[in-house]
Amino acid sequence: IYDVINNLGSLVARFIFQPVEESFYVFFSQTLHRGVPYHNQTQTSLRVASETLYMLLKFASLIGSIILVFGYSYSYLLLQLYGGEKLTDGAGPTLLRWYCVYVLVIALNGVTECFVLATMSNKEVDLYNRTMVGFSVLFLLSALFFTHLVSSVGFIWANCINMMARIAHSVHFIHKYYSGTDYSPLKGLIPSWQVWVSLVLSFIITSQSELHFCCDAQVATVYHIAVGVCCVAVTAGAILIGEKQFIQFGMKRLFNIGSRAD
């Protein structure tokens, strides 16, 4: 069952986050000089890199949070549609719910690391590689402990702990990198209050919907899906209202891509 859950969950990382990380690693490498402190970079480069990192963190936090909130209440239904009782009778729904947490974590880790690895000096990269050995040890110890405690769910917990340690390392590097400037790209990690409210309400409503409607009767299941669609629409509206800068940045990127294609 874990292999099925892992394959389903990795689709998001493979098709959404990985292309973004690879593309913007190149962008940051070309925008900022590797291993050069901020006061020796051009102000334009610092500003553009900061704005872009802010928007990427916003993108990762929004997409990851949406997957987490709605994945919790629709994991059972997804697995039922995908594999039937074979996947829903055991630990499948619980595994997928925790994998939704892991998706949020790997999204944030991917964005922060693509900036860090693009701007570190060669000496800092060597030090980081040695640090990764420590993170690997942390993962192995966590996996041994948590799999013994909660079986296969513990493996996802161990992955989350490993990724959160890497995020903390990257956040520290980014904070230090921009500490002498007026830029605060790490604020992109925090959604607007409108989005927070919509996500919390969506979580509560869809959780209650799953409890009352999912997933025995066909009509009730349709109600559950309809509730989710409505909550997604409300969340999208909250993003349009509360994240106008992010929307404008995204539209500008799409417009530029379209212009180059023409």
Side-chain angles (χ1 to χ4, degrees), residues 132-143 158 161-163 165:
M132 286 291 290
V133 175
F135 292 153
S136 298
V137 173
L138 174 64
F139 166 73
L140 290 173
L141 293 176
S142 300
I161 291 171
N162 178 40
M163 289 296 170

Side-chain angles (χ1 to χ4, degrees), residues 36-43 46 177 180-181:
V36 177
Y38 75 90
H39 50 80
N40 290 330
Q41 306 275 2
T42 66
Q43 283 300 310
L46 278 176
Y177 188 90
T181 72

Side-chain angles (χ1 to χ4, degrees), residues 171-247:
V171 165
H172 175 73
F173 178 91
I174 295 168
H175 175 74
K176 184 178 179 182
Y177 188 90
Y178 278 103
S179 60
T181 72
D182 295 328
Y183 305 115
S184 303
L186 291 174
K187 289 182 178 179
L189 290 166
I190 306 172
S192 65
W193 70 266
Q194 293 95 332
V195 175
W196 270 115
V197 170
S198 68
L199 288 173
V200 171
L201 289 177
S202 293
F203 180 82
I204 294 171
I205 292 170
T206 56
S207 297
Q208 290 300 309
S209 173
E210 181 185 35
L211 182 64
H212 291 92
F213 297 133
C214 188
C215 291
D216 297 325
Q218 186 174 3
V219 175
T221 300
V222 172
Y223 288 156
H224 181 48
I225 294 173
V227 168
V229 170
C230 292
C231 288
V232 168
V234 170
T235 302
I239 292 173
L240 289 173
I241 294 170
E243 304 290 356
K244 293 179 180 178
Q245 185 181 0
F246 170 73
I247 298 299

Side-chain angles (χ1 to χ4, degrees), residues 116-130:
V116 169
L117 294 176
T119 55
M120 277 181 167
S121 66
N122 292 332
K123 183 178 179 180
E124 288 172 325
V125 171
D126 291 338
L127 179 60
Y128 180 72
N129 289 334
R130 290 195 292 271

Side-chain angles (χ1 to χ4, degrees), residues 22-32 48-49 52-53 253:
E22 292 174 352
S23 174
F24 283 95
Y25 170 81
V26 175
F27 172 83
F28 289 128
S29 299
Q30 295 174 344
T31 304
L32 297 170
V48 170
T52 304
L53 179 58
R253 290 285 302 178

